[in-house]
Amino acid sequence: MISDAEWQVVALSLRVGLVAVGATLPLAYALAWLLARREFPGKLLLDGAIHLPLVVPPVVTGWLLLLAFAPAGPLGRIIEAITGGTVLFRWTGAAIAAGVMALPLMVRAMRLGIEAVDVRMEGVARTLGAGRWRSFSRVTLPLSLPGILAGVVLGFARALGEFGATITFVSNVPGETRTLPIAIYSLLQTPGGEGAVLRLAIISVVLSLGALVMSEWIARRGSRNRNAAMQRTGSVTG
């Protein structure tokens, strides 16, 4: 049986993951579109900076977030001036850490989805009188939707498994920042916590595996839909 405290951990993890992905989604898509459709000085540097959380130790990412969002930090001062509070030791801080760690995976999946959209389709829309925004909203965005969904699912799975940056940035506060991986780590240090560790580990595996399977299914379905759309476009342009 799963205890109320364990359900609280699961609920908090889902909350943090959903908020992290939802808040990161607009930025992730904008960056993905910029990298997929534009050439500009510093593009390689921007691409590297976006993917930096994937290669540096998560503790380093958490430390940098701590410097930025601490009361004396640049972002911390802004948040305190607006809200009168801080994100440190709060679930909102855990969501920020999870969002930062999920961003590279989201951008990568969305960029692949945008690059898979044939620019000829946008050209056809232009020749039919559609402006830039209409062409984007009616052609690019719908056809890149599988990449968006795959990115969201992958980002959510990454947010659920985030540990190092979160515990460094917002610590381990029961009911506030103790997500699934942090709870498992804490229980491993507790005598007699093996049963709870097993239950939470199973939940983590089920949630993550479900997210990965869903992401793969979305990617394959989107590929079939794009191929069909490209064939229709080829017949029109031909």
Side-chain angles (χ1 to χ4, degrees), residues 56-92:
V56 301
V59 174
V60 174
T61 302
W63 175 68
L64 292 175
L65 288 173
L66 186 59
L67 292 180
F69 286 93
L75 297 178
R77 286 197 296 266
I78 295 173
I79 292 175
E80 188 172 9
I82 295 174
T83 66
T86 178
V87 296
L88 299 184
F89 312 111
R90 300 285 306 278
W91 74 269
T92 48

mmCIF file of all heavy atoms in Angstrom, residues 56-92:
data_model
loop_
_atom_site.group_PDB
_atom_site.id
_atom_site.type_symbol
_atom_site.label_atom_id
_atom_site.label_comp_id
_atom_site.label_asym_id
_atom_site.label_seq_id
_atom_site.Cartn_x
_atom_site.Cartn_y
_atom_site.Cartn_z
ATOM 1 N N VAL A 56 26.932 19.477 -18.504
ATOM 2 C CA VAL A 56 27.581 19.856 -17.245
ATOM 3 C C VAL A 56 26.918 19.093 -16.102
ATOM 4 O O VAL A 56 25.760 18.675 -16.208
ATOM 5 C CB VAL A 56 27.484 21.378 -16.992
ATOM 6 C CG1 VAL A 56 28.134 22.149 -18.124
ATOM 7 C CG2 VAL A 56 26.041 21.814 -16.810
ATOM 8 N N PRO A 57 27.624 18.877 -14.996
ATOM 9 C CA PRO A 57 26.995 18.204 -13.846
ATOM 10 C C PRO A 57 25.756 18.985 -13.388
ATOM 11 O O PRO A 57 25.798 20.217 -13.301
ATOM 12 C CB PRO A 57 28.094 18.226 -12.786
ATOM 13 C CG PRO A 57 29.365 18.336 -13.555
ATOM 14 C CD PRO A 57 29.052 19.170 -14.751
ATOM 15 N N PRO A 58 24.653 18.293 -13.107
ATOM 16 C CA PRO A 58 23.440 18.991 -12.651
ATOM 17 C C PRO A 58 23.679 19.861 -11.419
ATOM 18 O O PRO A 58 23.002 20.877 -11.237
ATOM 19 C CB PRO A 58 22.482 17.839 -12.337
ATOM 20 C CG PRO A 58 22.930 16.724 -13.210
ATOM 21 C CD PRO A 58 24.421 16.847 -13.281
ATOM 22 N N VAL A 59 24.642 19.472 -10.569
ATOM 23 C CA VAL A 59 24.952 20.274 -9.391
ATOM 24 C C VAL A 59 25.432 21.665 -9.805
ATOM 25 O O VAL A 59 25.123 22.672 -9.150
ATOM 26 C CB VAL A 59 26.008 19.566 -8.528
ATOM 27 C CG1 VAL A 59 26.460 20.456 -7.380
ATOM 28 C CG2 VAL A 59 25.460 18.252 -7.974
ATOM 29 N N VAL A 60 26.188 21.734 -10.897
ATOM 30 C CA VAL A 60 26.667 23.027 -11.388
ATOM 31 C C VAL A 60 25.484 23.878 -11.839
ATOM 32 O O VAL A 60 25.422 25.078 -11.547
ATOM 33 C CB VAL A 60 27.664 22.825 -12.542
ATOM 34 C CG1 VAL A 60 28.050 24.168 -13.161
ATOM 35 C CG2 VAL A 60 28.898 22.086 -12.050
ATOM 36 N N THR A 61 24.544 23.263 -12.545
ATOM 37 C CA THR A 61 23.346 23.990 -12.968
ATOM 38 C C THR A 61 22.579 24.505 -11.763
ATOM 39 O O THR A 61 22.124 25.654 -11.738
ATOM 40 C CB THR A 61 22.445 23.075 -13.816
ATOM 41 O OG1 THR A 61 23.180 22.596 -14.947
ATOM 42 C CG2 THR A 61 21.214 23.827 -14.304
ATOM 43 N N GLY A 62 22.423 23.662 -10.749
ATOM 44 C CA GLY A 62 21.727 24.077 -9.538
ATOM 45 C C GLY A 62 22.440 25.213 -8.832
ATOM 46 O O GLY A 62 21.796 26.144 -8.317
ATOM 47 N N TRP A 63 23.774 25.159 -8.807
ATOM 48 C CA TRP A 63 24.555 26.224 -8.165
ATOM 49 C C TRP A 63 24.386 27.551 -8.903
ATOM 50 O O TRP A 63 24.221 28.606 -8.291
ATOM 51 C CB TRP A 63 26.017 25.810 -8.123
ATOM 52 C CG TRP A 63 26.925 26.869 -7.586
ATOM 53 C CD1 TRP A 63 26.982 27.349 -6.310
ATOM 54 C CD2 TRP A 63 27.922 27.589 -8.322
ATOM 55 N NE1 TRP A 63 27.945 28.327 -6.201
ATOM 56 C CE2 TRP A 63 28.542 28.498 -7.424
ATOM 57 C CE3 TRP A 63 28.356 27.546 -9.649
ATOM 58 C CZ2 TRP A 63 29.561 29.344 -7.826
ATOM 59 C CZ3 TRP A 63 29.379 28.395 -10.042
ATOM 60 C CH2 TRP A 63 29.961 29.284 -9.134
ATOM 61 N N LEU A 64 24.396 27.494 -10.245
ATOM 62 C CA LEU A 64 24.200 28.711 -11.039
ATOM 63 C C LEU A 64 22.800 29.289 -10.821
ATOM 64 O O LEU A 64 22.625 30.510 -10.740
ATOM 65 C CB LEU A 64 24.429 28.405 -12.518
ATOM 66 C CG LEU A 64 25.874 28.059 -12.914
ATOM 67 C CD1 LEU A 64 25.946 27.649 -14.379
ATOM 68 C CD2 LEU A 64 26.806 29.224 -12.631
ATOM 69 N N LEU A 65 21.806 28.401 -10.719
ATOM 70 C CA LEU A 65 20.448 28.870 -10.425
ATOM 71 C C LEU A 65 20.392 29.517 -9.045
ATOM 72 O O LEU A 65 19.702 30.523 -8.852
ATOM 73 C CB LEU A 65 19.463 27.695 -10.500
ATOM 74 C CG LEU A 65 19.158 27.145 -11.893
ATOM 75 C CD1 LEU A 65 18.303 25.880 -11.792
ATOM 76 C CD2 LEU A 65 18.447 28.184 -12.739
ATOM 77 N N LEU A 66 21.113 28.936 -8.108
ATOM 78 C CA LEU A 66 21.146 29.491 -6.751
ATOM 79 C C LEU A 66 21.744 30.891 -6.757
ATOM 80 O O LEU A 66 21.232 31.803 -6.085
ATOM 81 C CB LEU A 66 21.948 28.566 -5.840
ATOM 82 C CG LEU A 66 21.983 28.906 -4.348
ATOM 83 C CD1 LEU A 66 20.585 28.920 -3.757
ATOM 84 C CD2 LEU A 66 22.865 27.912 -3.611
ATOM 85 N N LEU A 67 22.801 31.075 -7.520
ATOM 86 C CA LEU A 67 23.414 32.395 -7.618
ATOM 87 C C LEU A 67 22.468 33.403 -8.263
ATOM 88 O O LEU A 67 22.400 34.568 -7.854
ATOM 89 C CB LEU A 67 24.712 32.318 -8.438
ATOM 90 C CG LEU A 67 25.886 31.559 -7.817
ATOM 91 C CD1 LEU A 67 27.074 31.575 -8.765
ATOM 92 C CD2 LEU A 67 26.280 32.151 -6.470
ATOM 93 N N ALA A 68 21.731 32.936 -9.277
ATOM 94 C CA ALA A 68 20.856 33.849 -10.017
ATOM 95 C C ALA A 68 19.590 34.198 -9.246
ATOM 96 O O ALA A 68 19.119 35.346 -9.276
ATOM 97 C CB ALA A 68 20.483 33.237 -11.366
ATOM 98 N N PHE A 69 19.020 33.210 -8.510
ATOM 99 C CA PHE A 69 17.720 33.416 -7.862
ATOM 100 C C PHE A 69 17.811 33.669 -6.363
ATOM 101 O O PHE A 69 16.780 33.830 -5.702
ATOM 102 C CB PHE A 69 16.820 32.200 -8.115
ATOM 103 C CG PHE A 69 16.284 32.132 -9.511
ATOM 104 C CD1 PHE A 69 16.952 31.422 -10.495
ATOM 105 C CD2 PHE A 69 15.110 32.783 -9.843
ATOM 106 C CE1 PHE A 69 16.459 31.347 -11.789
ATOM 107 C CE2 PHE A 69 14.612 32.720 -11.136
ATOM 108 C CZ PHE A 69 15.288 32.005 -12.113
ATOM 109 N N ALA A 70 19.024 33.697 -5.818
ATOM 110 C CA ALA A 70 19.170 34.052 -4.401
ATOM 111 C C ALA A 70 18.685 35.482 -4.182
ATOM 112 O O ALA A 70 18.650 36.283 -5.127
ATOM 113 C CB ALA A 70 20.627 33.905 -3.983
ATOM 114 N N PRO A 71 18.288 35.836 -2.960
ATOM 115 C CA PRO A 71 17.793 37.202 -2.709
ATOM 116 C C PRO A 71 18.734 38.297 -3.191
ATOM 117 O O PRO A 71 18.289 39.376 -3.597
ATOM 118 C CB PRO A 71 17.627 37.222 -1.187
ATOM 119 C CG PRO A 71 17.359 35.800 -0.825
ATOM 120 C CD PRO A 71 18.180 34.979 -1.771
ATOM 121 N N ALA A 72 20.042 38.024 -3.162
ATOM 122 C CA ALA A 72 21.009 39.022 -3.627
ATOM 123 C C ALA A 72 21.337 38.869 -5.109
ATOM 124 O O ALA A 72 22.069 39.689 -5.670
ATOM 125 C CB ALA A 72 22.295 38.930 -2.812
ATOM 126 N N GLY A 73 20.806 37.814 -5.755
ATOM 127 C CA GLY A 73 21.074 37.581 -7.164
ATOM 128 C C GLY A 73 20.244 38.475 -8.060
ATOM 129 O O GLY A 73 19.244 39.055 -7.638
ATOM 130 N N PRO A 74 20.606 38.570 -9.341
ATOM 131 C CA PRO A 74 19.892 39.471 -10.258
ATOM 132 C C PRO A 74 18.423 39.104 -10.450
ATOM 133 O O PRO A 74 17.549 39.978 -10.401
ATOM 134 C CB PRO A 74 20.682 39.331 -11.568
ATOM 135 C CG PRO A 74 21.443 38.047 -11.439
ATOM 136 C CD PRO A 74 21.741 37.889 -9.993
ATOM 137 N N LEU A 75 18.135 37.831 -10.658
ATOM 138 C CA LEU A 75 16.748 37.407 -10.828
ATOM 139 C C LEU A 75 16.021 37.358 -9.492
ATOM 140 O O LEU A 75 14.815 37.616 -9.416
ATOM 141 C CB LEU A 75 16.697 36.045 -11.520
ATOM 142 C CG LEU A 75 17.263 35.999 -12.942
ATOM 143 C CD1 LEU A 75 17.203 34.588 -13.498
ATOM 144 C CD2 LEU A 75 16.501 36.955 -13.850
ATOM 145 N N GLY A 76 16.745 37.019 -8.433
ATOM 146 C CA GLY A 76 16.143 36.974 -7.104
ATOM 147 C C GLY A 76 15.630 38.326 -6.662
ATOM 148 O O GLY A 76 14.559 38.438 -6.054
ATOM 149 N N ARG A 77 16.389 39.380 -6.961
ATOM 150 C CA ARG A 77 15.954 40.737 -6.593
ATOM 151 C C ARG A 77 14.690 41.140 -7.338
ATOM 152 O O ARG A 77 13.796 41.775 -6.774
ATOM 153 C CB ARG A 77 17.088 41.731 -6.867
ATOM 154 C CG ARG A 77 18.231 41.663 -5.869
ATOM 155 C CD ARG A 77 19.099 42.913 -5.935
ATOM 156 N NE ARG A 77 19.744 43.014 -7.243
ATOM 157 C CZ ARG A 77 20.976 42.555 -7.510
ATOM 158 N NH1 ARG A 77 21.669 41.966 -6.546
ATOM 159 N NH2 ARG A 77 21.505 42.695 -8.702
ATOM 160 N N ILE A 78 14.624 40.748 -8.616
ATOM 161 C CA ILE A 78 13.433 41.076 -9.416
ATOM 162 C C ILE A 78 12.205 40.362 -8.866
ATOM 163 O O ILE A 78 11.130 40.956 -8.699
ATOM 164 C CB ILE A 78 13.672 40.706 -10.896
ATOM 165 C CG1 ILE A 78 14.780 41.568 -11.489
ATOM 166 C CG2 ILE A 78 12.384 40.856 -11.696
ATOM 167 C CD1 ILE A 78 15.193 41.171 -12.891
ATOM 168 N N ILE A 79 12.355 39.062 -8.569
ATOM 169 C CA ILE A 79 11.223 38.288 -8.043
ATOM 170 C C ILE A 79 10.773 38.827 -6.693
ATOM 171 O O ILE A 79 9.575 38.948 -6.414
ATOM 172 C CB ILE A 79 11.615 36.797 -7.944
ATOM 173 C CG1 ILE A 79 11.789 36.209 -9.337
ATOM 174 C CG2 ILE A 79 10.570 36.014 -7.148
ATOM 175 C CD1 ILE A 79 12.275 34.791 -9.352
ATOM 176 N N GLU A 80 11.735 39.175 -5.868
ATOM 177 C CA GLU A 80 11.382 39.710 -4.549
ATOM 178 C C GLU A 80 10.668 41.054 -4.666
ATOM 179 O O GLU A 80 9.732 41.345 -3.913
ATOM 180 C CB GLU A 80 12.634 39.857 -3.688
ATOM 181 C CG GLU A 80 12.330 40.222 -2.244
ATOM 182 C CD GLU A 80 13.557 40.177 -1.358
ATOM 183 O OE1 GLU A 80 14.672 40.030 -1.913
ATOM 184 O OE2 GLU A 80 13.407 40.284 -0.131
ATOM 185 N N ALA A 81 11.090 41.873 -5.634
ATOM 186 C CA ALA A 81 10.444 43.174 -5.824
ATOM 187 C C ALA A 81 9.023 43.016 -6.337
ATOM 188 O O ALA A 81 8.130 43.804 -5.993
ATOM 189 C CB ALA A 81 11.264 44.020 -6.806
ATOM 190 N N ILE A 82 8.774 41.971 -7.140
ATOM 191 C CA ILE A 82 7.442 41.767 -7.729
ATOM 192 C C ILE A 82 6.509 41.039 -6.766
ATOM 193 O O ILE A 82 5.350 41.432 -6.580
ATOM 194 C CB ILE A 82 7.561 40.999 -9.057
ATOM 195 C CG1 ILE A 82 8.324 41.834 -10.095
ATOM 196 C CG2 ILE A 82 6.164 40.635 -9.594
ATOM 197 C CD1 ILE A 82 8.611 41.096 -11.383
ATOM 198 N N THR A 83 7.022 39.969 -6.167
ATOM 199 C CA THR A 83 6.160 39.103 -5.345
ATOM 200 C C THR A 83 6.371 39.287 -3.852
ATOM 201 O O THR A 83 5.540 38.848 -3.047
ATOM 202 C CB THR A 83 6.409 37.630 -5.701
ATOM 203 O OG1 THR A 83 7.757 37.269 -5.312
ATOM 204 C CG2 THR A 83 6.256 37.384 -7.195
ATOM 205 N N GLY A 84 7.492 39.877 -3.471
ATOM 206 C CA GLY A 84 7.796 40.013 -2.049
ATOM 207 C C GLY A 84 8.307 38.735 -1.424
ATOM 208 O O GLY A 84 8.423 38.649 -0.196
ATOM 209 N N GLY A 85 8.613 37.737 -2.230
ATOM 210 C CA GLY A 85 9.090 36.454 -1.709
ATOM 211 C C GLY A 85 10.255 35.931 -2.512
ATOM 212 O O GLY A 85 10.911 36.662 -3.264
ATOM 213 N N THR A 86 10.523 34.658 -2.379
ATOM 214 C CA THR A 86 11.635 34.009 -3.063
ATOM 215 C C THR A 86 11.201 32.626 -3.534
ATOM 216 O O THR A 86 10.223 32.065 -3.023
ATOM 217 C CB THR A 86 12.853 33.875 -2.127
ATOM 218 O OG1 THR A 86 13.909 33.201 -2.824
ATOM 219 C CG2 THR A 86 12.494 33.084 -0.886
ATOM 220 N N VAL A 87 11.914 32.093 -4.523
ATOM 221 C CA VAL A 87 11.626 30.743 -5.006
ATOM 222 C C VAL A 87 12.489 29.703 -4.303
ATOM 223 O O VAL A 87 12.307 28.502 -4.528
ATOM 224 C CB VAL A 87 11.831 30.644 -6.531
ATOM 225 C CG1 VAL A 87 10.856 31.545 -7.272
ATOM 226 C CG2 VAL A 87 13.273 30.979 -6.917
ATOM 227 N N LEU A 88 13.412 30.148 -3.473
ATOM 228 C CA LEU A 88 14.258 29.197 -2.755
ATOM 229 C C LEU A 88 13.438 28.413 -1.741
ATOM 230 O O LEU A 88 12.554 28.970 -1.066
ATOM 231 C CB LEU A 88 15.390 29.938 -2.038
ATOM 232 C CG LEU A 88 16.362 30.723 -2.924
ATOM 233 C CD1 LEU A 88 17.476 31.314 -2.078
ATOM 234 C CD2 LEU A 88 16.939 29.826 -4.009
ATOM 235 N N PHE A 89 13.715 27.109 -1.651
ATOM 236 C CA PHE A 89 13.031 26.193 -0.730
ATOM 237 C C PHE A 89 11.520 26.133 -1.006
ATOM 238 O O PHE A 89 10.738 25.805 -0.117
ATOM 239 C CB PHE A 89 13.271 26.599 0.731
ATOM 240 C CG PHE A 89 14.699 26.879 1.039
ATOM 241 C CD1 PHE A 89 15.140 28.172 1.320
ATOM 242 C CD2 PHE A 89 15.634 25.856 1.017
ATOM 243 C CE1 PHE A 89 16.475 28.428 1.592
ATOM 244 C CE2 PHE A 89 16.966 26.104 1.293
ATOM 245 C CZ PHE A 89 17.389 27.393 1.577
ATOM 246 N N ARG A 90 11.118 26.432 -2.243
ATOM 247 C CA ARG A 90 9.717 26.400 -2.648
ATOM 248 C C ARG A 90 9.557 25.466 -3.833
ATOM 249 O O ARG A 90 10.494 25.234 -4.599
ATOM 250 C CB ARG A 90 9.227 27.803 -3.042
ATOM 251 C CG ARG A 90 9.326 28.864 -1.933
ATOM 252 C CD ARG A 90 8.242 28.667 -0.900
ATOM 253 N NE ARG A 90 6.926 28.618 -1.506
ATOM 254 C CZ ARG A 90 6.219 29.705 -1.846
ATOM 255 N NH1 ARG A 90 6.723 30.913 -1.642
ATOM 256 N NH2 ARG A 90 5.021 29.573 -2.370
ATOM 257 N N TRP A 91 8.335 24.964 -4.028
ATOM 258 C CA TRP A 91 8.092 24.077 -5.164
ATOM 259 C C TRP A 91 8.258 24.816 -6.489
ATOM 260 O O TRP A 91 8.591 24.203 -7.513
ATOM 261 C CB TRP A 91 6.711 23.449 -5.062
ATOM 262 C CG TRP A 91 5.579 24.394 -5.375
ATOM 263 C CD1 TRP A 91 4.897 25.182 -4.504
ATOM 264 C CD2 TRP A 91 5.020 24.644 -6.662
ATOM 265 N NE1 TRP A 91 3.946 25.917 -5.162
ATOM 266 C CE2 TRP A 91 3.996 25.605 -6.484
ATOM 267 C CE3 TRP A 91 5.288 24.167 -7.946
ATOM 268 C CZ2 TRP A 91 3.229 26.095 -7.544
ATOM 269 C CZ3 TRP A 91 4.529 24.645 -9.006
ATOM 270 C CH2 TRP A 91 3.508 25.592 -8.808
ATOM 271 N N THR A 92 8.046 26.127 -6.472
ATOM 272 C CA THR A 92 8.256 26.898 -7.690
ATOM 273 C C THR A 92 9.721 26.884 -8.110
ATOM 274 O O THR A 92 10.049 26.864 -9.301
ATOM 275 C CB THR A 92 7.781 28.343 -7.486
ATOM 276 O OG1 THR A 92 8.311 28.847 -6.249
ATOM 277 C CG2 THR A 92 6.264 28.423 -7.422
#
